[in-house]
Amino acid sequence: MTATRGRGLRSDAARNHERIVVAAGHAFEEAGPEVTLEEVARRAGVGVATVYRRFRSRDQLVRAVFAHLLTTEIEPAVAVETGDPWRDLVGSLEATVGVLAGRRVILALARETDAVDVESVHRYVRSMDRLLRRAAAAGLVRPELQGRDLAAVVVMALATAHPGDPEGAGPRRYLALLVDGLRPAPAPLPPAPAHAPSHAPPHAPPSAPAPARSPSAPAPRRRPGADPR
């Protein structure tokens, strides 16, 4: 196999991976958590054998969908910096809550399958720490705030999301209320818990409703005649 052909195959594999992950994200939200991998393959325009070859279980696919959501929609918004540290900080919180509130099924599945990659969460919190330090240096937020406080703000705002509010009015309203608590105040906040986790994942808390789903099953044998793409 030539190097050029090898690169072409790798490019095809990457394109198929992207198509499957994007199609799965839409399928979970539109058809619900019980959507089949066959339906994901149909939406992605690939053979079902391709989906099973790349994702040996539904849980692996959920992890890939959530990681794609973080890297393509949330991390770019958090990375934006302007000359206004307050607006950058609040805009990042708004973008995070807005994206996640609109993906309730993916959020619930991610929590259920422990699909949140630790490194992705650390990267997110580090980015928010940077924005927080800039705002603190400008005297725009409470000096005692920590990155985990921002993660808690995201989780609390997402706790107000529900199916009867598809436009996300609740999370936006309560995020605005929570954001006001970040501003400097005469009295400092109570101390943070000594053993609180330093990196809270930006997803729904346990109290958020999680749609039921069947346990993940191992990939079945390839059926005779299945499209090997």
Side-chain angles (χ1 to χ4, degrees):
M1 179 183 291
T2 66
T4 300
R5 186 181 177 192
R7 285 195 298 272
L9 289 175
R10 288 193 294 271
S11 297
D12 288 343
R15 281 194 296 271
N16 281 343
H17 180 93
E18 177 84 4
R19 288 163 67 182
I20 292 166
V21 170
V22 170
H26 290 303
F28 282 131
E29 291 299 332
E30 294 168 9
E34 297 298 334
V35 69
T36 64
L37 297 188
E38 285 78 7
E39 173 62 13
V40 170
R42 186 191 69 77
R43 290 175 178 240
V46 301
V48 67
T50 299
V51 177
Y52 282 117
R53 187 164 58 246
R54 301 191 185 286
F55 303 100
R56 305 301 294 177
S57 70
R58 182 191 298 262
D59 287 2
Q60 287 186 1
L61 183 55
V62 170
R63 291 188 187 98
V65 170
F66 194 79
H68 185 267
L69 188 66
L70 286 176
T71 57
T72 62
E73 298 191 47
I74 293 177
E75 289 181 5
V78 173
V80 171
E81 287 190 16
T82 68
D84 185 341
W86 172 256
R87 186 62 249 165
D88 291 346
L89 178 63
V90 174
S92 294
L93 290 169
E94 290 172 343
T96 302
V97 171
V99 169
L100 296 180
R103 306 293 198 284
R104 292 186 66 258
V105 176
I106 296 300
L107 265 179
L109 287 174
R111 174 169 55 82
E112 191 177 319
T113 60
D114 196 24
V116 182
D117 176 67
V118 172
E119 178 52 37
S120 296
V121 172
H122 286 188
R123 193 164 58 244
Y124 171 82
V125 174
R126 285 195 298 267
S127 296
M128 295 304 293
D129 271 334
R130 186 190 69 251
L131 297 176
L132 182 60
R133 287 195 300 270
R134 287 180 64 229
L140 300 173
V141 298
R142 292 173 176 268
E144 68 270 26
L145 287 175
Q146 304 173 17
R148 65 187 182 191
D149 296 321
L150 301 182
V153 165
V154 171
V155 171
M156 287 188 284
L158 288 174
T160 67
H162 60 86
D165 178 24
E167 301 302 317
R172 284 196 304 274
R173 176 184 176 88
Y174 291 105
L175 177 61
L177 183 62
L178 291 164
V179 160
D180 266 353
L182 304 180
R183 295 183 183 275
L189 292 170
H195 302 293
S198 59
H199 294 107
H203 60 63
S207 58
R213 64 183 268 282
S214 57
S216 301
R221 296 177 182 274
R222 185 180 297 172
R223 297 193 300 268
D227 187 345
R229 285 183 290 164

